[in-house]
Structure formats: C-alpha cells, structure tokens
C-alpha cells in the first residue's frame, strides 16, 4: 500500500517513518525556536500580526547570530595559538610548512593549525653517540677503537630543515674522521702516547664535516673509551708495552742519579771555590799585615837603629824559646854549659798574655820597650859538660 493511498492515515512518509517516531531535528524548527526566543527577549508577542512583523527582522537577527558564533569560534581557535618555550628550548615556527621565525624562552603566539605550527628543540641537552670499529693504521696494523662523541644542537633551524637525519650524519662523520686520523698514525702511538692527539684531531675534523653540511650541531668532546690491538696479538703487544715502561723507568733512575751526582759536584766545586776565596783573602790580609809591620819597624829603625835591632833580636829569641822546654846556656870562662829546665821553672805558673792594640804599630818604639827579666843563678841550674867543637849537636848561647 502506498503511503498516500486511502487507509494509510498519513502516519508514514515515503521512507517508512511514522510521524510520531523520533527523528533527526529539523533545521527549520531549530531556527524557529531561536527566533521565538529572540522575540521574547525583545518583547515581541506571539500573535499572528507580531509574527508577520518579525519576518524580516528574523532574517537580520539570524545573520547577527551567525556572526557572533563565527567570532566566538574565531576567538576560541586563536586561543590554540599560545605556546610556552622552556629556557633550554628554541621554538621554530613554520607557515604552511615554510620557516618564518625562531622564538626563545617565554610565552609566544602563532596562528594555530593549519596555518602555522611550531616545533620545540632542546638546544642545551648534551647528546652522545658511541662508535666502535676496527681501524687500519699507517703502519698496516689493525686496532680496535671505541669512541664516544658528545654534542648538542646549536642552531634549531638548521637542525630541523637542512639535513634529513642530523644525528645519523654525525655518526657517519665520526666514522669517516676517525678512519682518516688513525690511517695517518702509527699503531703504537695511537695506543700509547698519542691518544689525546688522535681525539683532538678527530673532534676538529668532525666539526668541519658537520659544519659543511649545516647540520646545526656542535661537538662538545670526543673521548676514546678503549683502544687495543686485536685479540690475537694482545699478549705480544702487552710485552712490548712492559719493555717500554721498563726502559722509561731505567731512564728516570739514571737521570735521577745523574742529577744527584751533578748537584754534589756542583756543591763541592762551590765549596772549593769559597775556600779558595777565603784562603786568598787570608793570604792577602797576612801579606798586607806583614807589609805594614815591616813599614812600622822600618820607621822605628830609622829613629833608633840600635834599639830596634836589639828589640828584633829579643823578639826572635822569645819566639824560638817559647816552643822549647830546655835551654842550654854557655858560661863564659868555663867548659860547662848550663841547662835551664824551663818546663820545671814555669810549672804551676799562669802565663798572662797582654793583648796587642791593633791600632798601634806591630813593633813599638824603642822608648816603649818593656824591661827585661833577669833570672839569677840558683840550685836548679845544672851544669853539663860542654860538647866538643866537632860535635854536630846545636847549642843555644845566652848572648848573641
């Protein structure tokens, strides 16, 4: 039975729905309800005349409502354009995929999607890659090297747009640089003395390569974690290193011994030099003193020759007898020689030495000569037989 045939009662539409069934809301009905609410707000009635008068006004209000809705949606859409860049980050803004600006930390705004977009890049984070491989050295040896490269992003724009895979590019640049540096070095130096030199050269070469590709990366440090010969020759190489260390230790010991000998020789030579200088000064001072003494004696001799001559004789005898404990005295008119035992005569006595004034001449004038001491004969004098004239023994006479 068709929907418009008699007996259908008009309860069904051409799509088989009943009028009293719940269906999707009608747009006309929604607009009508909105219009009724607006009429009630503006004080309009519900009569027929009122609805007639509000016909044209409804159209104006509907456009105003749509404009308000559009403005609200636009405002809501613009709120999605605010974003915050952290202190360690840089924000890269693109408009329809094309770079337009780089923003720093703080609150920033851009046109929301799909017009503009922003990518945040951490430029303070230190990243690291590890590379390990077998390298061929200049002397045609193989060395196993493990290298760690630390880097960070220096330019966010170059990092995002210039190279498809900046980190992979850095990995390849590290391998290429390391092979070039190791290939121009000897195995022994790479493993021992020139490890730091190899890492510095590798770091500089990596930076040159990644700057050439404008990856926006900067290398912070390059560390050689491990460097050793292949497993098959490690024992022999360890012996070589031990022998080299023994050689270096022996060299250090020899150098220390040489330094000690040199320092002792230097000290002894300095001591001899100082002693020679002291001896020189003493000899010069003694010569000058003797010269001055001679000149003083000469002056006194010119004044009183006989007294000065006698004084010199007495001083000479005094200096000779001061070192002798026995004196033999020749007695005139006899064949006996008197023996003076000076050691017994002066036993128990205290000899007083009168200090000499250095400001005065070494030999005083004839008028200032001290009195002579005369020893009287006593029982202590022992006569002895005069020796023969042909005897070779030396006698000391009392008179000149």
């Amino acid at each position: 039975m068709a929907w418009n045939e008699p007996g259908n009662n008009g309860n069904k539409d051409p799509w088989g729905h009943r009028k009293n069934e719940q269906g999707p809301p009608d747009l006309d009905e929604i607009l009508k309800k909105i219009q009724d609410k607006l009429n009630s707000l503006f004080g309009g009635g519900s009569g027929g005349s009122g609805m007639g008068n509000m016909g044209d006004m409804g159209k104006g209000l509907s456009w105003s409502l749509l404009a308000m809705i559009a403005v609200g949606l636009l405002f809501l859409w613009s709120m999605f354009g605010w974003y915050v860049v952290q202190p360690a980050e840089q924000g890269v803004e693109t408009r329809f995929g094309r770079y337009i600006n780089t923003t720093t930390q703080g609150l920033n705004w851009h046109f929301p999607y799909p017009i503009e977009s922003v990518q945040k890049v951490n430029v303070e984070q230190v990243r690291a890659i590890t590379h390990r491989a077998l390298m061929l050295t200049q002397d045609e040896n193989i060395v196993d090297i493990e290298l760690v490269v630390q880097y960070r992003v220096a330019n966010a724009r170059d990092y995002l747009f210039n190279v498809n895979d900046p980190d992979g590019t850095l990995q390849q640049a590290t391998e290429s640089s390391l092979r070039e540096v190791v290939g121009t070095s000897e195995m022994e130096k790479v493993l021992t003395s020139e490890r730091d030199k190899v890492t510095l050269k590798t770091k500089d070469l990596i930076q040159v390569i990644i700057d050439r590709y404008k990856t926006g990366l900067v290398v912070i440090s390059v560390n050689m974690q491990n460097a050793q010969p292949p497993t098959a020759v490690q024992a022999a190489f360890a012996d070589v290193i031990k022998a080299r260390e023994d050689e270096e230790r022996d060299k250090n010991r020899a150098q220390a011994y040489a330094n000690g000998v040199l320092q002792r020789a230097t000290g002894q030579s300095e001591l001899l030099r100082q002693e020679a200088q002291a001896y020189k000064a003493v000899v010069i001072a003694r010569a000058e003193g003797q010269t001055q003494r001679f000149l003083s004696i000469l002056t006194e001799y010119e004044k009183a020759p006989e007294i000065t001559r006698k004084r010199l004789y007495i001083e000479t005898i005094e200096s000779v007898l001061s070192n002798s404990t026995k004196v033999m005295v020749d007695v005139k008119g006899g064949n006996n020689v008197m023996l003076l035992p000076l050691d017994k005569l002066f036993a128990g006595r205290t000899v007083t030495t009168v200090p000499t004034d250095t400001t005065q001449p070494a030999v005083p004038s004839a008028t200032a000569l001290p009195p002579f001491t005369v020893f009287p004969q006593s029982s202590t004098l022992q006569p002895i037989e005069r020796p023969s004239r042909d005897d070779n023994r030396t006698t000391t006479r009392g008179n000149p």
Side-chain angles (χ1 to χ4, degrees):
M1 180 181 295
W3 68 277
N4 56 356
E5 290 182 356
N8 192 19
N9 298 326
N11 294 328
K12 293 183 177 180
D13 55 14
W15 296 274
H17 296 290
R18 296 180 179 274
K19 292 184 178 180
N20 56 356
E21 292 180 352
Q22 185 68 27
D26 191 1
L27 183 59
D28 294 337
E29 293 180 359
I30 294 175
L31 293 176
K32 185 176 180 180
K33 290 180 180 180
I34 294 174
Q35 185 177 2
D36 292 340
K37 290 182 179 181
L38 292 175
N39 290 335
S40 63
L41 290 174
F42 288 97
S46 58
S49 60
M51 293 294 297
N53 294 331
M54 293 294 294
D56 296 334
M57 184 178 178
K59 295 181 179 180
L61 291 176
S62 63
W63 287 109
S64 299
L65 181 61
L66 291 176
M68 293 176 62
I69 294 174
V71 170
L73 293 175
L74 181 63
F75 176 77
L76 182 63
W77 173 76
S78 66
M79 295 300 295
F80 288 96
W82 295 102
Y83 66 95
V84 177
V85 178
Q86 298 300 327
E89 296 178 339
Q90 286 184 358
V92 180
E93 296 181 357
T94 56
R95 182 175 300 163
F96 299 112
R98 184 177 181 180
Y99 170 81
I100 58 171
N101 188 24
T102 300
T103 57
T104 57
Q105 63 175 346
L107 183 63
N108 299 275
W109 184 87
H110 69 97
F111 287 104
Y113 181 84
I115 299 177
E116 292 181 358
S117 61
V118 61
Q119 299 182 55
K120 301 177 184 179
V121 181
N122 193 331
V123 295
E124 298 294 335
Q125 179 185 3
V126 178
R127 313 179 187 190
I129 60 171
T130 302
H131 179 76
R132 182 173 184 176
L134 295 175
M135 302 288 176
L136 183 64
T137 61
Q138 185 180 11
D139 52 355
E140 298 182 357
N141 289 316
I142 297 177
V143 59
D144 186 9
I145 296 181
E146 182 180 358
L147 204 68
V148 176
V149 180
Q150 294 182 338
Y151 66 99
R152 64 178 180 85
V153 178
N155 191 312
R157 176 185 178 182
D158 294 343
Y159 179 76
L160 293 176
F161 300 112
N162 286 343
V163 181
N164 185 27
D165 185 10
D167 300 312
T169 303
L170 178 63
Q171 181 80 24
Q172 298 175 2
T174 300
E175 181 176 0
S176 176
S177 303
L178 184 59
R179 289 189 182 277
E180 179 177 348
V181 175
V182 174
T184 57
S185 304
E186 297 179 358
M187 175 183 177
E188 179 182 351
K189 295 181 179 180
V190 171
L191 299 181
T192 56
S193 60
E194 295 187 358
R195 291 172 63 104
D196 295 337
K197 186 176 180 180
V198 169
T199 56
L200 290 176
K201 286 185 176 180
T202 304
K203 176 179 178 294
D204 296 338
L205 191 55
I206 292 173
Q207 191 64 53
V208 170
I209 295 175
I210 61 179
D211 288 344
R212 186 182 306 162
Y213 287 101
K214 297 182 179 180
T215 58
L217 300 176
V218 59
V219 178
I220 300 176
S221 65
V222 175
N223 300 317
M224 187 179 296
Q225 297 292 99
N226 187 20
Q228 59 185 1
T231 307
V233 296
Q234 284 186 1
F237 190 78
D239 293 338
V240 174
I241 293 178
K242 186 176 183 301
R244 184 180 296 107
E245 291 176 351
D246 293 341
E247 178 186 4
E248 189 67 24
R249 182 170 58 253
D250 293 339
K251 287 182 179 179
N252 293 335
R253 289 178 179 175
Q255 187 65 37
Y257 175 76
N259 293 336
V261 172
L262 180 61
Q263 291 178 0
R264 286 194 296 271
T266 303
Q268 291 177 359
S269 64
E270 185 64 25
L271 178 61
L272 292 176
R273 186 180 296 108
Q274 292 179 0
E275 290 179 351
Q277 294 292 338
Y279 176 75
K280 175 183 176 182
V282 170
V283 171
I284 293 175
R286 183 181 293 117
E288 291 177 351
Q290 292 177 354
T291 303
Q292 185 65 31
R293 179 175 180 275
F294 177 78
L295 295 177
S296 299
I297 294 175
L298 178 61
T299 303
E300 298 298 329
Y301 181 80
E302 291 175 350
K303 294 179 180 179
E306 185 64 26
I307 296 177
T308 304
R309 187 183 301 111
K310 189 174 182 180
R311 176 67 177 181
L312 291 175
Y313 172 77
I314 294 173
E315 288 180 353
T316 303
I317 294 300
E318 181 182 0
S319 63
V320 172
L321 295 180
S322 63
N323 297 324
S324 177
T325 59
K326 296 180 181 180
V327 179
M328 289 177 289
V329 181
D330 188 9
V331 180
K332 292 181 179 181
N335 294 327
N336 295 330
V337 178
M338 304 301 296
L339 175 64
L340 297 178
L342 300 180
D343 53 345
K344 296 180 179 181
L345 290 175
F346 292 101
R349 291 188 176 185
T350 302
V351 180
T352 304
T353 303
V354 180
T356 304
D357 189 359
T358 57
T359 60
Q360 298 297 328
V363 178
S365 61
T367 57
L369 292 175
F372 299 103
T373 302
V374 180
F375 295 96
Q377 293 184 350
S378 62
S379 60
T380 58
L381 299 178
Q382 301 176 3
I384 61 176
E385 185 179 358
R386 177 188 297 273
S388 176
R389 295 294 184 182
D390 297 333
D391 195 352
N392 293 327
R393 289 179 297 178
T394 304
T395 58
T396 301
R397 300 180 181 273
N399 295 323

